[in-house]
Amino acid sequence: MNGKPASELTPAKVSRPGRQRLQRPAAVVLGAVVLVAAGGVAFAAIPNSTTGQISAFRSVGGPTPGALRVIDSQAGQVCTAGEASVSWSSRTLTPRGAYSSATAYKVGDIVTAGGTSYVAKLANTGVPVTNTTNWTLLASKGATGAQGPQGAQGPQGAQGPQGSAGTATYLQVTSATLTAVAGFQTSGVVSCPAGMSAISGGETNQGAYNTVYLTDSYPAGGGAGWGVFVNNHSSGDVSFTVSATCVPSGTVTGPVARPALKAP
């Protein structure tokens, strides 16, 4: 420089073949912006250093409707006429499954409770999801849908293994041959095996038709056997036997079957 003020400098001419261009001094301005807040210096940030929110303005008119302009809300930037404010979180949402009062949650954690999902607004442990200071609703539980159509019948399953052999539930027993004395009433009894009880019984005789009559048929020995009384109206003795149907004791309760009796 030759010591003259910048206003007195004369632009220098640069000669080039076929053209001329004026060369002017360039002015470069360097600076820094610092926000002075009460009690100290505050630095602006995008996203917000406290909430993690990103703030912006959306143009609702003018030559570029819908255009988005991101701003620094901490620096005090505000919208202008024809703009609407919008904001969103810059923090990642993290699914954490079903809510548990024993779990420590961080901002952005997503939990479910009763079919509804919530997002943690503040770090917390043991704070119910109904607390709107710490949690915000993400999605409510939907209504129960209609029942779907019945599915097709499945194929028949394989045949199961053969069961073990069963035990007999009843036993027919018959007494030794007894004698009905002519002109007298004679009794006879047959016993069931140990552990079994008689549920019915009767007699069988070798007499002529309408000559030997069964006059009584009953459980004998407290139900451990069966007894009968027969009348022999014939002129000679007649052989007969007593029979009983036995079942395991305790398997049948109530009255037992008694055969119809012939009139003497």
Side-chain angles (χ1 to χ4, degrees), residues 10-15 19-25:
T10 301
K13 291 184 180 181
V14 179
S15 299
R19 61 184 297 184
Q20 289 185 341
R21 185 178 64 179
L22 296 179
Q23 187 175 42
R24 300 178 182 272

Side-chain angles (χ1 to χ4, degrees), residues 33 42 61 69 87 97 100 105 128-129 145 176 179 195 211:
V33 177
R69 181 170 66 91
S87 64
S100 171
Y105 294 105
V129 292
T179 301
T211 59

